[in-house]
Amino acid sequence: GCSFLSKTRIIQEHGGRAVIIADNAYDNDSFYIEMIQDSTRRTADIPALFLLGRDGYMIRRSLEQHGLPWAVISIPVNVTSIPTYEMMQPPWTFW
């Protein structure tokens, strides 16, 4: 129930250097949230990334299936010759 910015600030305040936040709706593959503002004047100083629910679910499921508590995830900015704004999806959706 808290905003993307609030979640990011909580991670930052607890020493996080970056955060990946996924929607909790595992079947969400197209609905993006407002990540920049939450009607406050607060800011965050760490990199923060939003994943669609489906993408976050796939990562969590893979971790559980392999019995891993965490993983190193490399997310390229754009792995295609098509600009991401034309794809209308994050690049990892097409992997």
Side-chain angles (χ1 to χ4, degrees):
C2 66
S3 71
F4 183 88
L5 178 58
S6 293
K7 291 174 179 146
T8 302
R9 287 183 51 88
I10 289 168
I11 296 300
Q12 177 180 312
E13 290 165 6
H14 285 88
R17 295 183 186 184
V19 62
I20 298 174
I21 300 170
D23 184 1
N24 63 357
Y26 73 90
D27 57 345
N28 177 16
D29 64 357
S30 62
F31 180 71
Y32 288 91
I33 62 167
E34 174 61 55
M35 299 183 297
I36 305 302
Q37 297 294 327
D38 66 355
S39 72
T40 68
R41 295 184 186 262
R42 301 175 305 159
T43 61
D45 299 316
I46 62 172
L49 174 73
F50 173 75
L51 287 179
L52 292 170
R54 180 182 65 186
D55 297 324
Y57 170 76
M58 291 171 62
I59 291 170
R60 285 189 304 274
R61 186 183 68 190
S62 294
L63 290 172
E64 290 169 1
Q65 287 176 341
H66 296 288
L68 299 171
W70 57 271
V72 175
I73 300 172
S74 298
I75 300 174
V77 176
N78 188 352
V79 296
T80 72
S81 60
I82 302 169
T84 54
Y85 67 87
E86 287 182 14
M87 292 187 333
M88 301 299 291
Q89 294 288 327
W92 56 88
T93 300
F94 298 99
W95 295 347

